[in-house]
Amino acid sequence: MRELTYASAYAEAIREEMERDPNIFVLGTDIRIRGGHFGQLKDIGKTFGHKRVVDTPISEAAMVGMSLGAALTGLRPICDLNFEDFYLGAMDEVVNQIAKVQYKFNGQFKCPVIIRASSGAARSTGPQHSQSFEAWFAHTPGLYVAMPSTPEDIKGLMKTALRGSNPVIFSTHKMLSSLKGHVPEHDYAIPFGQAKIVKPGSDVTIATYSIMVSKSLQAAAVLEKQGISAEVIDLRTIAPLDLDRIAQSVRKTKRLVIAHEAYRHGGIGAEIAASIGETVFDYLDAPIMRVGSKHSVMPVSPILQDAITPNQNDVIAAVNSVMEGVKV
């Protein structure tokens, strides 16, 4: 069984889909020669040439606007913005235009634009290169939001994005690039809106995604030694959100912790907590707890960055809180 890194699995998905569909092309800064700021698509320019791997000026509005126009003519652009923070230069194009095309034209035009960017805190990249905006995008009707946590999922979710007809915000965490994992050799796609139980458990549910999946699994291993069985659910996509899977787990465990790296204040965890409270409140034996970054501008100092972003100890503390008073 072969293993690939998260970054290699992403690149493999792009190459395979570009070979399958000649309408797919990639655009971004430094993408054709360098393969992007992180080398995420190294050598793709050599393979597919300048007509399908397009270098652009440093203008996010122009990149996303060009992607919109290309999609309306029947092409399938992958717009690579490098850092998620750079969306802010193109929010009108993303929220006011791309998200609303199908509604405005009564479904006569599809808008299969994939916008990829790296989210999250990493290596002291500071306040303007460390942000996570998934709650903002999930709040906008018309946008799909994928947040893969493993090499297998990044490939499968990207294939689904490239075979669909909807605009997709494809968020890859910087610190997952070198993560290795099993990736099937056969062709496969992972549907959006289907969360996965990555560790079964019976005492508490941990609903999470992206980099917090691995941290939650580390927390679950520690909790297991304390006699607490945690069920860890990888949400995979934030929009659509698989609330049924979470509710089903909570009916079994009676307790819920939600973990994400984005700010806890106003984060997607608040939406999940409210929705689960509305649907399965009678099953809960403890208040729902959320784990997320502290509400502060991200500092450059690595010590302060670590103090703001959540880790496995924060997940353990939240689980212990919901388990307080319960004999296990």
Side-chain angles (χ1 to χ4, degrees):
M1 191 175 292
R2 68 169 183 160
E3 283 196 335
L4 292 179
T5 64
Y6 186 85
S8 299
Y10 167 73
E12 187 171 271
I14 301 297
R15 286 193 178 89
E16 288 181 3
E17 289 304 295
M18 288 182 74
E19 287 167 357
R20 180 189 63 81
D21 185 349
N23 289 319
I24 297 173
F25 74 100
V26 185
L27 70 159
T29 54
D30 290 334
I31 200 81
R32 188 164 65 84
I33 305 296
R34 189 176 164 192
H37 289 191
F38 300 97
Q40 61 268 27
L41 290 175
K42 191 178 175 186
D43 296 333
I44 195 169
K46 259 185 225 177
T47 306
F48 293 99
H50 67 278
K51 289 187 177 178
R52 297 185 66 192
V53 183
V54 181
D55 274 329
T56 66
I58 305 175
S59 168
E60 285 71 30
M63 287 183 231
V64 178
M66 186 179 359
S67 300
L68 168 62
L72 293 178
T73 68
L75 298 176
R76 290 180 170 274
I78 303 168
C79 180
D80 196 305
L81 293 185
N82 286 304
F83 288 86
E84 193 157 296
D85 315 70
F86 299 169
Y87 274 102
L88 300 181
M91 285 303 277
D92 179 60
E93 286 73 15
V94 175
V95 174
N96 270 335
Q97 309 302 333
I98 284 176
K100 296 174 172 60
V101 163
Q102 295 197 50
Y103 173 79
K104 288 195 301 181
F105 293 100
N106 199 27
Q108 295 178 78
F109 290 98
K110 304 298 182 186
C111 194
V113 175
I114 315 301
I115 309 177
R116 189 217 71 89
S118 298
S119 64
R123 301 189 180 94
S124 302
T125 47
Q128 296 171 324
H129 295 79
S130 305
Q131 300 175 89
S132 300
F133 291 139
E134 68 267 20
W136 197 351
F137 295 122
H139 181 72
T140 303
L143 296 178
Y144 285 61
V145 183
M147 305 280 290
S149 71
T150 66
E152 180 176 1
D153 280 6
I154 196 171
K155 182 174 179 181
L157 290 170
M158 177 52 81
K159 281 179 172 273
T160 295
L162 286 169
R163 296 174 185 183
S165 58
N166 299 300
V168 177
I169 304 297
F170 204 89
S171 181
T172 58
H173 196 286
K174 301 177 191 73
M175 293 303 289
L176 291 176
S177 295
S178 58
L179 176 74
K180 285 186 177 178
H182 164 62
V183 177
E185 295 190 48
H186 65 269
D187 186 40
Y188 69 98
I190 296 174
F192 283 11
Q194 291 190 13
K196 179 182 180 183
I197 296 174
V198 291
K199 181 199 168 296
S202 56
D203 296 324
V204 59
T205 299
I206 303 174
T208 184
Y209 56 90
S210 190
I211 195 165
M212 288 306 293
V213 172
S214 57
K215 293 181 181 180
S216 296
L217 286 171
Q218 291 167 16
V222 174
L223 291 163
E224 204 77 34
K225 293 175 184 172
Q226 297 176 10
I228 298 172
S229 173
E231 180 151 291
V232 181
I233 298 178
D234 183 350
L235 298 176
R236 291 171 154 172
T237 59
I238 304 307
L241 188 58
D242 191 355
L243 288 168
D244 289 342
R245 175 78 76 180
I246 304 171
Q248 187 179 20
S249 177
V250 170
R251 288 190 187 96
K252 177 177 66 173
T253 66
K254 319 294 185 195
R255 301 167 196 90
L256 175 61
V257 169
I258 306 150
H260 53 63
E261 189 183 284
Y263 295 126
R264 179 178 179 275
H265 180 87
I268 200 73
E271 173 61 31
I272 296 171
S275 297
I276 293 301
E278 289 167 355
T279 54
V280 291
F281 178 80
D282 290 344
Y283 288 85
L284 289 167
D285 283 346
I288 298 169
M289 294 292 291
R290 290 172 291 148
V291 175
S293 286
K294 296 177 176 61
H295 205 215
S296 167
V297 172
M298 190 62 66
V300 173
S301 159
I303 294 173
L304 294 178
Q305 177 186 287
D306 289 345
I308 287 171
T309 52
N311 57 35
Q312 58 267 37
N313 291 329
D314 297 310
V315 179
I316 292 169
V319 168
N320 282 327
S321 174
V322 300
M323 297 299 297
E324 193 174 18
V326 180
K327 189 175 180 181
V328 295

